[in-house]
Amino acid sequence: MTMRWDVTLAIIAMGLVTYICRAGGYAVLRAVRTPPFVDALLRNLPAPLFAAYVALSLSRQDLAATLASIPCAAAHLRWGNFGLSIVVGVAAVALLRWAGV
């Protein structure tokens, strides 16, 4: 199997554009002083975005996945470890589906 030159060029160009967009944001924020409101917004935005993604995905799941979010969240609140939370959530879904929920 050979890679076509136009596909290779497109992949390289997309990677370059992605890098420029990401690095450009850092360069702008280094050069321009943001107002306190923007600082607070950028500091606190990830949590609501994550909650929105989780709520959307849970609304499209079955009962087992929705119920499994409870021990998953409890594990994260107790230990603060995302990896452990994922393992607990996957195990809870597996057990609930095995139990027929």
Side-chain angles (χ1 to χ4, degrees), residues 1 10 17 25 33 37 42 46 52 64 66 74 81 83-84 87 94:
M1 184 166 129
V17 168
R33 187 80 177 143
F37 171 75
L42 291 174
T66 305
N81 185 331
L84 179 63
V87 170

Side-chain angles (χ1 to χ4, degrees), residues 2 42 56:
T2 60
L42 291 174
L56 178 63

Side-chain angles (χ1 to χ4, degrees), residues 8-91:
T8 305
L9 186 62
I11 291 170
I12 292 170
M14 287 186 283
L16 186 62
V17 168
T18 300
Y19 177 76
I20 290 170
C21 289
R22 291 179 184 225
Y26 288 115
V28 167
L29 288 178
R30 274 184 150 203
V32 177
R33 187 80 177 143
T34 57
F37 171 75
V38 175
D39 284 339
L41 179 74
L42 291 174
R43 223 179 7 258
N44 296 312
L45 191 60
L49 283 176
F50 181 73
Y53 290 140
V54 169
L56 178 63
S57 67
L58 285 178
S59 71
R60 296 179 179 189
Q61 295 294 323
D62 59 351
L63 181 62
T66 305
L67 290 176
S69 67
I70 297 168
C72 179
H76 184 71
L77 286 173
R78 171 65 178 91
W79 291 289
N81 185 331
F82 279 113
L84 179 63
S85 302
I86 291 169
V87 170
V88 168
V90 169

